[in-house]
Amino acid sequence: MKKFLTLLMALALLLPLCGGAAAEGYQDCHRVVLTKTDTTQDNGSIIRVWQADTVLDSVDEELASIQQDMVDRFGPELPAGKNKTSKSSRLDVELRYSRTGLTWLSFLIQGRVSYYRELTDQAIVSRTYDMTTGKRVLLTDIFDDSSEGWDIMAKAVREQATAYFPGETPDEAVLDRYCTREGLQQLDFTLHGMSLVLHIPAQTLYPKHHTLIEVTLFYPDIRPYMTEKAQTETDNKAYYKMAALTFDDGPVRTNTTLVLNNMMEMGERATFFVIGNRVEAYADQVQKEHDNGHAVASHNWNHGNVKKSKPSALRAMPEKVDDAFTGAIGIGVRYNRVPHGLYNQMIKAKVGWPLIQWSLDTYDWRGRSVGAIMSAVKDQISDGDIILCHDIKDNTPDAARAICQYLQEQGYMLVTIDELFAKDGVTLQPDTVYYRCVDGKTDIKKR
């Protein structure tokens, strides 16, 4: 049955390409259903595996085999669990997927070992497939032998990997090896709405750390160096409208976890604006946001009214916030959203962050029902929007899933804040306010 469906989808995909029209809605070959299975071992440790059901049996089988290898590797070594909560001894084998173009689909399998919420080990394996044929897509399918893309990737690895864990020196021999042609070809990578991301386990460069290092290259910067097929499969602006889904005020233990799980199940990425003084207590949540491929940004040090803060205190905030984030994920933040949207005080104080507002407020912070939240989205959504939600609210996890599903059906691709602006070549500037990004326009949306 899957082979028959695959043939039908392959034929259907030819129509928009041949006719020159943009594709609409979610491509059938991109559909994935994730299910989780929990196992409690004899010593009380817990193993959770998220498995995928795609349109291709061959893809499902390979992904399941990789996941089983992680279970076999880490499962027997898990220490005894003392309770059945998330604090216990756990192995979470997660499966993150993301689409690009009309036929390509990337997967990142993450085996995360944690004990009392501290990540103690991690392994990753990535796969990208053409979902009409089941053929794997390699970096050599994206850049040919003579492409300048290899040099660009090597430079990005060196610059971005060494930006992690400031004050610590990476293993230079390993870093040099990663930056060779052969080393790059062996790195795990995934493709997203507007970026190619190389994934590096931090412990290979910084042995004391177990988070992921993500090296991001935006399509507009590298598409000229891609093969013809790769250029087609990364031209997402030609096929989809784009929006950024954002979450403020977290993290919290339950609702943030539910939001993360629902975003993973929907195959979408978001941007989390995290309150700085919550990072240490919820370091595992912030780390998971980062390792799951979401953008992590600042929501000030606390949620207070900046009108009551002295300019000197506001200017001291970025260093304080970056110290907290570096302790959790190894790197600071790139931009900020001011609580209550009171950005004027930040600009007057010359704090120095790009300031991200929003163009679509779901008003989930009022405790709205999922239905009311969706009514706001359906009534207001437009290309280039930044959608405001709050991962601390009880209805937001279900609303996040509903938003993803609706936007997919309406021909949208959700991207991070970084990707939203990169698609139009907009470089975020200090002390500048951004509400949206469509065709380079970043001002407030007029209704």
Side-chain angles (χ1 to χ4, degrees):
M1 183 63 180
K2 285 188 177 183
K3 292 181 179 178
F4 177 71
L5 290 173
T6 301
L7 177 60
L8 288 179
M9 288 184 294
L11 293 173
L13 287 170
L14 291 174
L15 296 178
L17 290 174
C18 294
E24 295 182 0
Y26 202 81
Q27 303 301 311
D28 285 337
C29 66
H30 286 152
R31 296 194 183 279
V32 178
V33 176
L34 293 186
T35 55
K36 65 182 179 182
T37 302
D38 289 345
T39 303
T40 301
Q41 300 197 109
D42 291 341
N43 68 351
S45 59
I46 299 168
I47 297 176
R48 172 172 289 179
V49 180
W50 292 83
Q51 290 186 305
D53 181 14
T54 73
V55 298
L56 296 177
D57 287 334
S58 60
V59 169
D60 299 348
E61 291 166 2
E62 182 171 13
L63 297 176
S65 176
I66 295 169
Q67 292 175 306
Q68 187 59 51
D69 287 344
M70 290 186 180
V71 171
D72 293 342
R73 171 184 170 185
F74 292 121
E77 302 300 324
L78 291 176
K82 297 181 180 180
N83 55 53
K84 295 183 179 180
T85 71
S86 62
K87 292 183 179 180
S88 189
S89 175
R90 298 181 59 90
L91 167 63
D92 290 275
V93 183
E94 299 178 340
L95 186 62
R96 174 156 40 105
Y97 69 97
S98 56
R99 58 192 167 116
T100 187
L102 300 177
T103 68
W104 285 5
L105 194 60
S106 284
F107 297 88
L108 186 69
I109 303 99
Q110 299 172 283
R112 299 168 58 86
V113 181
S114 58
Y115 188 68
Y116 274 64
R117 293 179 179 152
E118 180 182 355
L119 189 66
T120 60
D121 206 351
Q122 179 166 212
I124 59 170
V125 176
S126 66
R127 290 289 186 271
T128 298
Y129 302 96
D130 183 323
M131 293 302 293
T132 61
T133 65
K135 182 180 181 296
R136 272 191 66 183
V137 178
L138 307 175
L139 277 178
T140 50
D141 297 309
I142 299 173
F143 302 103
D144 62 30
D145 288 342
S146 61
S147 173
E148 294 180 33
W150 298 103
D151 294 332
I152 294 173
M153 281 193 293
K155 181 180 179 182
V157 167
R158 192 170 294 279
E159 290 179 351
Q160 295 185 40
T162 55
Y164 278 76
F165 308 107
E168 299 185 38
T169 302
D171 187 315
E172 292 292 345
V174 175
L175 181 60
D176 288 343
R177 186 165 65 250
Y178 283 156
C179 293
T180 65
R181 177 75 61 90
E182 294 75 15
L184 290 168
Q185 290 179 13
Q186 293 174 11
L187 286 179
D188 288 286
F189 75 94
T190 51
L191 301 171
H192 303 275
M194 199 49 59
S195 61
L196 181 157
V197 179
L198 301 169
H199 307 274
I200 301 173
Q203 64 263 31
T204 64
L205 292 171
Y206 304 91
K208 296 179 182 179
H209 303 283
H210 296 292
T211 188
L212 287 183
I213 291 172
E214 299 213 327
V215 177
T216 300
L217 298 102
F218 297 110
Y219 292 156
D221 299 327
I222 57 176
R223 282 189 71 240
Y225 311 105
M226 291 181 176
T227 63
E228 183 177 353
K229 175 62 174 175
Q231 287 183 352
T232 298
E233 291 294 340
T234 56
D235 191 15
N236 289 316
K237 283 182 65 175
Y239 310 132
Y240 307 102
K241 294 170 284 187
M242 295 191 181
L245 183 57
T246 68
F247 299 95
D248 285 9
D249 293 357
V252 292
R253 187 57 56 193
T254 298
N255 288 340
T256 300
T257 298
L258 292 173
V259 168
L260 287 170
N261 287 346
N262 287 347
M263 296 300 293
M264 180 173 64
E265 288 188 55
M266 297 304 298
E268 299 289 2
R269 299 198 299 165
T271 302
F272 288 83
F273 289 93
V274 175
I275 298 174
N277 64 15
R278 300 181 69 82
V279 173
E280 183 177 1
Y282 294 92
D284 60 308
Q285 294 281 66
V286 178
Q287 188 179 70
K288 189 172 181 182
E289 289 171 354
H290 172 269
D291 286 3
N292 280 13
H294 304 290
V296 183
S298 168
H299 197 39
N300 278 20
W301 178 251
N302 58 53
H303 208 271
N305 188 335
V306 294
K307 291 181 179 180
K308 300 179 181 180
S309 298
K310 294 180 180 180
S312 59
L314 295 178
R315 285 193 293 272
M317 194 187 307
E319 182 177 359
K320 192 175 182 180
V321 167
D322 277 351
D323 285 346
F325 278 92
T326 299
I329 62 175
I331 198 166
V333 299
R334 298 177 293 277
Y335 42 81
N336 180 74
R337 173 174 285 160
V338 188
H340 312 293
L342 301 175
Y343 56 81
N344 282 327
Q345 284 68 28
M346 303 285 280
I347 294 174
K348 290 178 182 178
K350 299 187 184 322
V351 174
W353 271 320
L355 302 170
I356 308 299
Q357 291 285 94
W358 57 87
S359 53
L360 197 167
D361 192 344
T362 65
Y363 291 97
D364 65 333
W365 52 272
R366 291 180 175 173
R368 276 183 163 184
S369 67
V370 174
I373 291 170
M374 289 309 302
S375 292
V377 172
K378 292 177 182 180
D379 180 54
Q380 300 178 47
I381 189 67
S382 61
D383 192 17
D385 270 344
I386 297 174
I387 305 169
L388 174 63
C389 293
H390 299 75
D391 53 307
I392 65 172
K393 296 299 180 180
D394 289 342
N395 290 334
T396 298
D398 288 342
R401 178 191 292 275
I403 290 169
C404 290
Q405 183 173 346
Y406 175 75
L407 293 184
Q408 288 172 358
E409 292 169 350
Q410 298 301 310
Y412 279 84
M413 178 172 278
L414 286 171
V415 293
T416 64
I417 287 294
D418 304 80
E419 290 180 304
L420 186 72
F421 291 95
K423 71 180 175 60
D424 292 338
V426 174
T427 301
L428 298 177
Q429 300 296 326
D431 299 316
T432 304
V433 182
Y434 301 88
Y435 291 88
R436 58 178 178 145
C437 189
V438 56
D439 298 327
K441 296 178 182 177
T442 63
D443 58 344
I444 194 167
K445 184 171 69 171
K446 309 294 183 183
R447 294 200 65 194

